[in-house]
Amino acid sequence: MIPPQEASARRREIEDKLKQEEETLSFIRDSLEKSDQLTKNMVSILSSFESRLMKLENSIIPVHKQTENLQRLQENVEKTLSCLDHVISYYHVASDTEKIIREGPTGRLEEYLGSMAKIQKAVEYFQDNSPDSPELNKVKLLFERGKESLESEFRSLMTRHSKVVSPVLILDLISGEDELEVQEEVPLEHLPEGVLQDVIRISRWLVEYGRNQDFMNVYYQIRSSQLDRSIKGLKEHFRKSSSSSGVPYSPAIPNKRKDTPTKKPIKRPGTIRKAQNLLKQYSQHGLDGKKGGSNLIPLEGRDDTLDVETDAYIHCVSAFVRLAQSEYQLLMDVIPEHHQKKTFDSLIQDALDGLMLEGENIVSAARKAIIRHDFSAVLTVFPILRHLKQTKPEFDQVLQGTAANTKNKLPSLITSMETVGAKALEDFADNIKNDPDKEYNMPKDGTVHELTSNAILFLQQLLDFQETAGAMLASQVLGDTYNIPLDPRETSSTATSYSSEFSKRLLSTYICKVLGNLQLNLLSKSKVYEDPALSAIFLHNNYNYILKALEKSELIQLVAVTQKTAERSYREHIEQQIQTYQRSWLKVTDYIAEKNLPVFQPGVKLRDKERQMIKERFKGFNDGLEELCKIQKAWAIPDMEQRDKIRQAQKNIVRETYGAFLHRYGSVPFTKNPEKYIKYRVEQVGDMIDRLFDTSA
């Protein structure tokens, strides 16, 4: 049981806490009442504010809408005024631009094109908005007049400023082809820069607005004419200059090159003169007028005009490639891309056709030359064909994109030249074989026959064109003719594409064939001579001429490709003919040969029969010696080395035999008049033989 004191204390404590809670509750109640009052006041204020806002909104929105409408109306008015001004301006275009259009674009292209732009817009406006308006016809007529003026200006600019490229500049342009060092590129300005820009602007306007392609025809006609005239001018310049000063070259920019080496002239094609010079080193006499004639026209007499024409044509081919490349660069700036190839095709036709026609004329002339056996004229085909083949890759690149007919012109010409060249080679070989043995055409002194010199000169000329000549032979499938197997490694799928080695073997076989035909013909011709000794001298001279000519050139190496023993064979033939010639002296030396001399005892008086025999021997020797020296003095051996060799050998034989005979019978009393029979001393006999083969002695 809780003591009373504690219960009393506990009660007081609880009462105190109760009192505190009541006070707190009273405070909370007062606070809620104040909060409610504040809330009521705030709601009242917000309601009042909302009411005022609604009143304000109802007042402002109508004003705003009215202001917005006014602004829209103002903008519409401004746009309308602007459109009216713009429309009105179209009605003034004709009057504003008529004077400019009438005066033309010359000297003020920028202003003129600006006026044309205004007229173009006016035409579009009236077409869209007032197609029946008389103003439309007015601006249309003005536009057409302006377009015609632009077309006329285009033609005028092209005509006035398109100049023929000078021959000197063309030569400078193509002279760098053979240069080892990189040379400064020669500038080629077809049109002044300012004029070119005007032409380009007019071209673009005509394409975009003029809807007219006639200017492209104007362009290619004018540029085609200039290209053609440039090439013809070069050809004419070359003809005039070559006759007096060789290659017509002079620097295009002399002032720039005073302190620098000038470019070398273009290498001229090999000509017959090179062969002549090499062979004349062997023997001047062998090429003089004393040799016999043949039915082949002499190569020596070839007119230098052929060389000039050949060189001129080769230069023109190179010039065409370079000028055509330059023309295409110019055309790319002026002509729209999708019309460039067609326009370029038309542009180059006249110049290209001129070159091809001249090439075909060369082929035709070569065919006629073959008929009359003038193979020197046919030689012009070789350098031209070689140059065409060398230039063909550049040709193909230049003509890329042109019509098939245009691309095929050069290959067709090359084929024609290969065909006529192969025909010339075959006919030449046949003519060497079948050259007639005409007695009146044979050299009286047994010197080199003209047939031999012609054949060697022709073969010598082929050295500069080994691959070209080999390709000619290969193009006619001459491998079968010469029994040369076609090695797949040496031939390609292309009919005219052969390896260098295969072409060399073909040409070597051909040269051997010509030399074989020549040897057979010379043997036949030698039979015309009644004197076997003169026949031997004739064959000796010709064989020696051939051998020396082969040795002094690369022909011997070319022959050796298929005939290893050719040189040795010729030396054997030459020695054989020398021996044949030496037998002609047997009728002289046989008189005094020991085997035919009478035998007698020294100190024993000779019988009449023995004295007579000795007299006959002396007389026979003297008469034979005099006769042979008289006859053989008029014969010729052009090669000094061979001439001295043959003289010396014969002199040794005769002097030895005669010396022994004279020693034996010179002091024998076989006659009362020894000077009648002993006419010559041994030295005199040697001197007489030393004068053989010397018509000037």
Side-chain angles (χ1 to χ4, degrees), residues 170-171 173-174 177 227 230-232 234-235 238 266 309-325 351-352 354-360 362 383-395 398 410 413-414 417:
I170 295 176
L171 287 170
L173 186 67
I174 62 180
E177 294 177 357
L227 175 62
S230 296
I231 294 176
K232 289 178 178 177
L234 172 64
K235 184 176 180 180
F238 197 93
I266 296 175
E309 293 294 330
T310 300
D311 291 352
Y313 185 74
I314 287 175
H315 280 73
C316 288
V317 169
S318 295
F320 172 81
V321 173
R322 292 290 173 263
L323 292 177
Q325 289 172 340
L352 181 60
L355 284 177
M356 296 302 107
L357 178 60
E358 190 171 351
E360 289 297 340
I362 291 171
I384 292 173
L385 178 57
R386 180 177 65 181
H387 187 71
L388 290 179
K389 283 189 170 185
Q390 291 173 344
T391 314
K392 187 176 182 298
E394 290 182 283
F395 245 101
V398 169
L410 181 64
L413 178 59
I414 289 176
M417 287 193 171

Side-chain angles (χ1 to χ4, degrees), residues 674-688:
E675 65 277 359
K676 178 180 178 181
Y677 297 98
I678 307 176
K679 298 173 64 175
Y680 303 104
R681 299 189 306 276
V682 175
E683 293 76 12
Q684 288 178 308
V685 172
D687 291 342
M688 292 173 68

Side-chain angles (χ1 to χ4, degrees), residues 142-188:
L142 197 58
F143 182 81
E144 290 300 320
R145 187 190 303 172
K147 185 173 73 171
E148 291 174 2
S149 294
L150 284 172
E151 293 171 351
S152 177
E153 179 70 3
F154 183 89
R155 179 187 293 274
S156 176
L157 289 174
M158 291 298 301
T159 303
R160 285 188 289 114
H161 296 282
S162 290
K163 304 297 182 183
V164 173
V165 183
S166 71
V168 170
L169 186 56
I170 295 176
L171 287 170
D172 240 359
L173 186 67
I174 62 180
S175 64
E177 294 177 357
D178 296 328
E179 291 295 307
L180 296 177
E181 297 181 0
V182 177
Q183 297 287 344
E184 179 183 352
E185 185 177 352
V186 179
L188 190 59

Side-chain angles (χ1 to χ4, degrees), residues 56-261:
L56 180 61
E57 182 179 358
N58 292 332
S59 300
I60 292 300
I61 286 177
V63 174
H64 174 72
K65 289 183 178 180
Q66 186 176 6
T67 302
E68 187 178 30
N69 290 335
L70 289 174
Q71 289 176 341
R72 189 178 296 111
L73 289 174
Q74 183 179 359
E75 290 175 359
N76 290 339
V77 169
E78 290 175 353
K79 289 181 179 179
T80 301
L81 291 174
S82 176
C83 289
L84 287 173
D85 290 340
H86 184 65
V87 170
I88 292 172
S89 69
Y90 288 131
Y91 286 86
H92 293 111
V93 164
S95 59
D96 292 343
T97 59
E98 185 175 8
K99 181 181 178 182
I100 297 174
I101 300 303
R102 184 174 64 252
E103 292 176 352
T106 305
R108 52 175 181 179
L109 182 62
E110 188 73 28
E111 181 183 5
Y112 194 89
L113 291 178
S115 297
M116 289 298 293
K118 293 179 182 179
I119 297 172
Q120 172 73 14
K121 291 179 180 179
V123 170
E124 293 173 354
Y125 171 79
F126 288 120
Q127 283 178 336
D128 294 339
N129 299 283
S130 185
D132 298 328
S133 171
E135 292 295 331
L136 176 60
N137 293 331
K138 187 182 295 185
V139 291
K140 269 189 173 181
L141 289 174
L142 197 58
F143 182 81
E144 290 300 320
R145 187 190 303 172
K147 185 173 73 171
E148 291 174 2
S149 294
L150 284 172
E151 293 171 351
S152 177
E153 179 70 3
F154 183 89
R155 179 187 293 274
S156 176
L157 289 174
M158 291 298 301
T159 303
R160 285 188 289 114
H161 296 282
S162 290
K163 304 297 182 183
V164 173
V165 183
S166 71
V168 170
L169 186 56
I170 295 176
L171 287 170
D172 240 359
L173 186 67
I174 62 180
S175 64
E177 294 177 357
D178 296 328
E179 291 295 307
L180 296 177
E181 297 181 0
V182 177
Q183 297 287 344
E184 179 183 352
E185 185 177 352
V186 179
L188 190 59
E189 185 180 70
H190 293 292
L191 295 172
E193 183 60 29
V195 173
L196 176 60
Q197 293 305 318
D198 286 349
V199 167
I200 292 173
R201 294 199 64 186
I202 295 174
S203 166
R204 291 175 178 173
W205 190 93
L206 290 173
V207 171
E208 185 174 357
Y209 301 108
R211 307 292 191 269
N212 189 351
Q213 298 180 5
D214 291 343
F215 78 95
M216 299 182 196
N217 297 331
V218 171
Y219 177 87
Y220 91 71
Q221 288 168 2
I222 294 174
R223 294 308 309 166
S224 175
S225 174
Q226 300 304 322
L227 175 62
D228 192 40
R229 289 171 60 194
S230 296
I231 294 176
K232 289 178 178 177
L234 172 64
K235 184 176 180 180
E236 187 62 27
H237 176 77
F238 197 93
R239 287 175 175 172
K240 290 179 180 178
S241 303
S242 294
S243 60
S244 59
S245 60
V247 179
Y249 174 83
S250 59
I253 317 175
N255 292 334
K256 289 186 67 176
R257 300 185 181 180
K258 286 182 179 179
D259 300 323
T260 58

Side-chain angles (χ1 to χ4, degrees), residues 2 22 35 61 74 79 123-124 170 184 215 254 296 304 322 402 507 532 545 637 664:
I2 301 173
E22 287 176 352
S35 176
I61 286 177
Q74 183 179 359
K79 289 181 179 179
V123 170
E124 293 173 354
I170 295 176
E184 179 183 352
F215 78 95
L296 299 176
D304 284 348
R322 292 290 173 263
T402 58
L507 186 58
Y545 182 98
I637 298 180
R664 185 169 185 177

